[in-house]
Amino acid sequence: MNMRDNRSSKGVCLDSFEKDSIAEKRNELYLDVFDPQLFRKNAEIVISRLEKYLADSSIRGLALTNPSVLLQAAKEMMTEEHEVIASLDEEKLGAIIDLYIKTGIQVHSPGSMGRQFSGVIPLAGIFDLISSIVNQPSSFYEAGQLPNVVERIMADEFNRFIGWEPGRFTMVTTSGGSLANLTALLAARNDRFPRIWSEGMCALERQSPPAIAVSEDAHYSVCRAVGILGIGEEQIVRLPINQERQICIEKVRPALEEAAERGMKVFCIVASAGTTSVGAFDPIDELAEIAEEKNIWLHIDGAHGGSLLVSDKLRHKLKGIEKADSFAWDAHKMMFVPAPCTLLFYKNKEKSYGAFHQDASYVFEKEPDIYTEFDSAGKNFECTKRPLIMNLWVLWALYGKALFADKIEYLCQLTRHAYQILKEEPDFETLHQPEANILCFRYLPSNLRKSVFPDFQVAIRNRIREEGKFFISKVDIDGVGALRVVFMNHQIDVDHFRMLLYEIRKIGHELLKEAM
Ligand SMILES: *Cc1c(COP(=O)(O)O)cnc(C)c1O
């Protein structure tokens, strides 16, 4: 026997003391942490607290906590026992749940009007729990069979509203709209500049540098993607917007021509179907015509407003969507499922595989069989990926389209109503006609002097947040601060909006008084 064999045989040989202690440890684990009955008991504690939370219809927004106070509170809930597995302290479990709930934006309350994530449909949350327990990361069919099949089903369901050729298009889920935008832009770049993937930017040699054209109001993730792709933010061509903050179609050709004169090669136009700031819809149909004529990839960032497709009354906002090359759609916004859940569609299935080219024998097969044909890993960046589609599918499967369409229509209607209310109030300024469920405006009392109080809107917004009753957001419109509300919850009605206006006036007066 040589030295090496000696060592390895010693390594696997356990003495009786070690054997005993391993068995003991395993028993301990099974007795407590993994005990199914204990799971049930814990789940009941959680469910009953969540039930109370959902039943609370009081008006509340966000109680912003000092982070150092919260840090301390969280630390105090941690066990000091680390030598043996601590026994579960149910009281602490309850306290952690309460703290978690209390410190969040109260998405289920009518006071929450500030962000684009949903007050989720509770059944979707229950499904999220199942996904966590059965743990089926879904980039590969073998690990997530139902999720991968269901992705195909949902792709076909939603394609009814898009209208691509069945069998030719494809859809993949991603962890958020930002990643979907990055993935689509990568597919576009690799399609138009195929050598960059392997050779890097030096493949371009003396070619014009790749550039993309986006609205002045595009989401920051698009510009970030341009940076990540090595295209460079300086190669972004900004397309001017009109009064309604949509891409101004008359100015697109001149902007593209000017870019070409400056030696840029625009290979992709990104249009928004619902901008983040005001929910404006760019003219997809007309942009598609220009894109086709110039052989430019058209990507639609429908992270926010893609959901309007499910409504017969609102679908026209995305007229021309079938002409797009790719389309990102966040279901965790207006489809009311837990974040993240994003669907990225491609008109042409082949192009979706262009985003990534990888060989990895431990996961990828050279020749797909009936199983691996359903893998999504070739199309998404994530390796271990949450089965994102399940929450959405189960709602769609059990309740059907109307659950979403009705809620979306109500929220868009409510937003138009709120806009009408503002129009009649002389001390409020409207900034756009709402196309979806986002509304931006300013409070301008007659005794406000902008030169004295330039960030008045932001100050109002922050004070509202401090008081905790309502939660709204802010945005710069033409470089000047504005208040922004996003209606994501059907429990909000016009009276809640009127209460918000009352609150804004009250706080505005207080702020002006304090500034004097
Ligand atoms: C929210 C949003 C994004 C980003 O999506 P995430 O899911 O938050 O990553 C991108 N574009 C638009 C228009 C959005 O509204």
Side-chain angles (χ1 to χ4, degrees):
M1 216 187 236
N2 64 28
M3 286 275 286
R4 217 165 151 205
D5 287 337
N6 211 352
R7 232 187 299 153
S8 64
S9 72
K10 204 174 155 208
V12 293
C13 185
L14 302 175
D15 60 31
S16 63
F17 165 75
E18 281 175 311
K19 273 188 203 152
D20 286 352
S21 81
I22 285 177
E24 215 172 273
K25 277 222 169 78
R26 196 191 63 191
N27 281 341
E28 257 177 63
L29 284 172
Y30 279 107
L31 271 180
D32 196 355
V33 182
F34 286 92
D35 177 56
Q37 275 167 1
L38 186 71
F39 165 70
R40 188 201 174 94
K41 206 163 137 223
N42 290 341
E44 278 165 3
I45 297 176
V46 173
I47 300 288
S48 71
R49 279 192 151 73
L50 287 176
E51 184 187 1
K52 219 164 78 192
Y53 163 67
L54 290 172
D56 179 358
S57 58
S58 66
I59 299 172
R60 55 206 202 282
L62 164 68
L64 201 59
T65 320
N66 181 323
S68 61
V69 172
L70 187 54
L71 192 84
Q72 196 50 40
K75 276 187 178 167
E76 277 163 20
M77 289 173 181
M78 295 167 71
T79 182
E80 273 159 22
E81 178 64 78
H82 290 288
E83 294 311 314
V84 294
I85 301 171
S87 55
L88 184 73
D89 181 338
E90 278 180 17
E91 228 169 85
K92 271 190 189 158
L93 172 64
I96 290 173
I97 301 166
D98 289 343
L99 186 68
Y100 200 4
I101 291 175
K102 198 174 76 184
T103 51
I105 296 171
Q106 301 296 300
V107 291
H108 291 277
S109 164
S112 168
M113 303 180 179
R115 292 274 172 227
Q116 294 160 280
F117 41 82
S118 314
V120 302
I121 297 169
L123 184 62
I126 291 182
F127 243 80
D128 221 32
L129 167 68
I130 300 174
S131 293
S132 296
I133 298 291
V134 301
N135 202 17
Q136 301 184 4
S138 70
S139 286
F140 300 95
Y141 179 79
E142 140 190 308
Q145 301 186 51
L146 189 59
N148 278 290
V149 164
V150 159
E151 274 199 15
R152 297 277 178 104
I153 296 177
M154 289 313 281
D156 287 338
E157 288 292 301
F158 288 159
N159 187 48
R160 288 196 279 147
F161 314 125
I162 300 173
W164 282 322
E165 197 182 312
R168 183 135 188 268
F169 78 99
T170 195
M171 183 274 279
V172 62
T173 54
T174 69
S175 310
S178 303
L179 185 57
N181 284 337
L182 173 64
T183 306
L185 293 190
L186 191 51
R189 190 206 64 186
N190 289 349
D191 183 61
R192 299 305 200 256
F193 300 90
R195 285 169 54 203
I196 293 181
W197 181 263
S198 49
E199 294 169 40
M201 283 298 173
C202 51
L204 292 170
E205 290 166 9
R206 278 188 204 89
Q207 260 179 288
S208 315
I212 74 158
V214 307
S215 150
E216 275 171 14
D217 226 9
H219 189 264
Y220 77 86
S221 63
V222 174
C223 306
R224 184 174 280 190
V226 172
I228 294 170
L229 292 178
I231 292 165
E233 286 200 284
E234 285 175 18
Q235 259 63 249
I236 294 177
V237 176
R238 290 286 180 176
L239 302 173
I241 52 178
N242 62 20
Q243 270 243 292
E244 294 306 327
R245 311 194 69 76
Q246 307 148 325
I247 289 176
C248 185
I249 198 72
E250 297 80 40
K251 299 198 176 147
V252 174
R253 274 174 221 275
L256 293 176
E257 276 149 27
E258 198 211 329
E261 274 163 31
R262 281 164 50 208
M264 294 161 140
K265 170 116 186 68
V266 173
F267 68 96
C268 181
I269 295 175
V270 179
S272 306
T275 55
T276 310
S277 58
V278 304
F281 286 74
D282 291 327
I284 299 173
D285 211 25
E286 286 131 307
L287 286 166
E289 202 176 293
I290 299 174
E292 196 189 349
E293 171 195 309
K294 297 186 179 289
N295 190 27
I296 295 175
W297 181 293
L298 178 62
H299 173 64
I300 310 300
D301 178 1
H304 185 78
S307 302
L308 268 59
L309 278 178
V310 304
S311 157
D312 296 342
K313 295 188 183 120
L314 297 165
R315 188 171 311 128
H316 67 92
K317 294 274 176 206
L318 290 100
K319 186 165 180 282
I321 185 71
E322 73 285 357
K323 296 176 191 159
D325 294 285
S326 54
F327 167 46
W329 172 357
D330 275 355
H332 58 258
K333 287 174 177 166
M334 290 181 82
M335 297 297 278
F336 319 111
V337 295
C341 174
T342 301
L343 292 77
L344 170 60
F345 290 86
Y346 295 88
K347 177 164 62 185
N348 183 342
K349 184 156 64 181
E350 297 311 314
K351 309 247 161 150
S352 70
Y353 292 101
F356 310 104
H357 307 267
Q358 241 77 54
D359 292 325
S361 61
Y362 43 88
V363 283
F364 297 121
E365 306 296 338
K366 292 238 155 51
E367 294 296 326
D369 57 24
I370 59 161
Y371 310 113
T372 53
E373 202 233 319
F374 274 76
D375 291 352
S376 67
K379 296 182 278 187
N380 56 241
F381 182 67
E382 303 97 319
C383 178
T384 308
K385 185 176 79 170
R386 218 160 149 80
L388 300 155
I389 200 72
M390 290 306 289
N391 305 329
L392 180 62
W393 174 67
V394 75
L395 295 178
W396 192 267
L398 299 179
Y399 290 107
K401 179 183 94 159
L403 171 70
F404 305 95
D406 289 358
K407 187 159 161 156
I408 291 166
E409 283 163 19
Y410 172 73
L411 294 172
C412 293
Q413 212 171 6
L414 173 68
T415 314
R416 285 195 298 277
H417 197 156
Y419 171 73
Q420 290 304 333
I421 291 173
L422 285 178
K423 286 220 82 121
E424 282 157 28
E425 303 290 345
D427 50 347
F428 281 91
E429 177 190 33
T430 56
L431 299 163
H432 66 112
Q433 285 197 49
E435 291 190 80
N437 60 334
I438 303 178
L439 182 61
C440 299
F441 55 94
R442 296 192 183 103
Y443 175 50
L444 301 173
S446 56
N447 56 342
L448 170 70
R449 249 159 281 125
K450 284 185 201 162
S451 56
V452 180
F453 213 144
D455 49 4
F456 186 58
Q457 310 303 321
V458 178
I460 291 176
R461 184 264 174 179
N462 288 346
R463 179 71 63 89
I464 286 179
R465 188 175 61 180
E466 256 165 55
E467 302 212 337
K469 190 163 170 189
F470 287 98
F471 177 72
I472 62 171
S473 47
K474 54 118 181 135
V475 64
D476 284 350
I477 304 270
D478 296 326
V480 183
L483 303 173
R484 174 174 174 269
V485 298
V486 187
F487 294 121
M488 294 298 292
N489 179 348
H490 64 278
Q491 300 191 62
I492 304 172
D493 64 27
V494 279
D495 288 336
H496 294 117
F497 185 68
R498 288 206 172 90
M499 284 163 72
L500 171 70
L501 298 188
Y502 175 85
E503 196 81 2
I504 291 171
R505 284 190 174 110
K506 190 187 79 174
I507 284 170
H509 285 290
E510 281 168 17
L511 286 168
L512 288 177
K513 223 169 175 188
E514 288 165 22
M516 279 208 277

